[in-house]
Amino acid sequence: MKFPFAKLALGFFGLILVGWVSARTTSRTTSLRDTGSSATSVSVPVVVELFTSEGCSSCPPADAFLARLESQQPIPNTQIIALEEHVDYWNSDGWVDPFSSREWTLRQQDYAETLKDNPYTPQLVVDGHAELVGSREALARQAIATASAQPKAHIALALAPSGKPGVVQATISVDPPTGTQHSDKSEVWLAVTESGLHSSVTAGENAGSDLHHASVVRALRKITTIDVNKAASYSGNTPVHLDPSWKPQNVRVVVFVQNKKSRQIVGAAAAAIQQ
C-alpha cells in the first residue's frame, strides 16, 4: 500500500460495426432473472472505481476482487460497473505499469480532497461517495448495497456506427433522480474500458507475477455540465474514438453522472462495443 504526497491518448480503431449497434440502459432496468422465472427484478447501476497499480504488491487481491464483482454481480438487484484506474506514482519503483496514467492519479487526488483522506493503493471508491481499502470484501459489498438503494438518475445510452473508421457515435440522455433537490451542478462523464488485460511483470514488488485485471479505464472525458437551476436533463450525441490496439470484443462505453462538489455518482449506464 502506498500513500503518495501528491502524486489519453485516443487513437483510431480498425473496427467495422455491422448494422446498427444499440445498447440502451437506464439506472433502473427491468430484466428476467437468470433462473428463467417470469418474475422481474430492478437492476440499479453502481460505479465501483479501483485505484491500483501493477507495481503495488497489495493490489493484486483487490484487482481480483473487482474482477469477481464484475463477472459474478453478487449484489441483488444491482449492476456493478467496474472502473479500474491505474495510477502512475508507483512507476518509479522498478516497474512501469503499461495501463497507468497521470490522469487517474489526479482523479484519485480529487477524491482525496473531497473524502478527506490520503490517496493510496488499492483504494476502492463506490459511487464517488464511499472509500475503503480495495481488498476489504465485506465492507465493499455493504457499501455497494447502500449505494444501490439511493435515488438514481435515469440514463439512456445507445451506440451506433459513425461512418468513420474507429469512431462510434454515442447517443446519451439523462433525467435527474426523481424527488431530489440540491444546488450542486452535475457532470456527465464518458469512459471507455477494456477487459481481458494482463501483464507479465518482470520487476518491482510483483516481479514474476502474471497480473490479470477487471475493466481497465482506457479513456475518460467530461461530456457536459448540467446546472439543475437551469436545466434538469440532458440529451445529445458524442463521438467515441477507439484505439486500434484495443480488442473490440472487450471494450465497453460507460456514461455516468457525478455531482461536481460532492463527487457522488448519481446514475450510470454501460454498453458493449459489438461487431
Side-chain angles (χ1 to χ4, degrees):
M1 185 178 293
K2 180 175 247 187
F3 295 81
F5 288 103
K7 305 221 197 195
L8 286 176
L10 289 176
F12 290 96
F13 200 45
L15 173 68
I16 299 176
L17 294 175
V18 180
W20 203 91
V21 181
S22 175
R24 182 178 177 88
T25 310
T26 66
S27 63
R28 296 186 180 272
T29 56
T30 301
S31 60
L32 292 180
R33 296 185 184 271
D34 293 338
T35 59
S37 169
S38 59
T40 59
S41 62
V42 176
S43 181
V44 180
V46 173
V47 175
V48 179
E49 298 177 76
L50 175 65
F51 294 95
T52 185
S53 171
E54 291 187 344
C56 160
S57 61
S58 58
C59 286
D63 297 348
F65 174 52
L66 182 64
R68 290 197 304 275
L69 287 175
E70 184 177 36
S71 63
Q72 297 175 6
Q73 297 291 326
I75 311 300
N77 303 329
T78 302
Q79 178 196 4
I80 296 171
I81 298 178
L83 299 180
E84 187 171 300
E85 297 163 68
H86 290 233
V87 298
D88 68 348
Y89 48 79
W90 280 92
N91 288 351
S92 60
D93 290 359
W95 175 256
V96 177
D97 188 332
F99 310 118
S100 65
S101 171
R102 182 66 177 169
E103 187 174 354
W104 317 145
T105 299
L106 294 175
R107 181 169 174 81
Q108 186 184 32
Q109 289 175 2
D110 286 342
Y111 274 132
E113 293 178 5
T114 303
L115 300 174
K116 310 301 182 184
D117 201 352
N118 292 317
Y120 62 89
T121 55
Q123 184 183 33
L124 208 65
V125 180
V126 178
D127 260 356
H129 184 65
E131 72 85 22
L132 63 149
V133 176
S135 55
R136 293 183 177 175
E137 299 190 12
L139 289 177
R141 291 170 187 264
Q142 182 179 4
I144 294 168
T146 299
S148 179
Q150 301 304 307
K152 300 290 183 179
H154 279 264
I155 301 176
L157 169 63
L159 304 179
S162 69
K164 298 179 181 179
V167 182
V168 177
Q169 189 77 4
T171 300
I172 303 164
S173 66
V174 177
D175 291 318
T178 57
T180 60
Q181 292 183 346
H182 61 84
S183 59
D184 199 352
K185 293 182 179 180
S186 297
E187 298 176 331
V188 181
W189 289 84
L190 185 146
V192 181
T193 67
E194 184 179 6
S195 60
L197 297 173
H198 69 97
S199 293
S200 296
V201 180
T202 59
E205 292 187 2
N206 290 314
S209 300
D210 186 23
L211 302 181
H212 292 256
H213 304 294
S215 290
V216 174
V217 175
R218 291 300 216 168
L220 177 66
R221 62 187 173 94
K222 184 170 65 176
I223 301 299
T224 190
T225 299
I226 303 173
D227 188 340
V228 295
N229 295 317
K230 297 180 181 179
S233 60
Y234 164 80
S235 61
N237 301 316
T238 187
V240 181
H241 297 267
L242 304 170
D243 191 279
S245 66
W246 303 341
K247 294 182 179 180
Q249 66 271 24
N250 295 338
V251 173
R252 262 199 326 178
V253 175
V254 177
V255 172
F256 60 91
V257 176
Q258 186 164 34
N259 292 338
K260 187 174 182 179
K261 293 180 181 178
S262 70
R263 309 292 294 168
Q264 184 168 1
I265 294 173
V266 296
I273 298 292
Q274 301 181 13
Q275 300 185 73

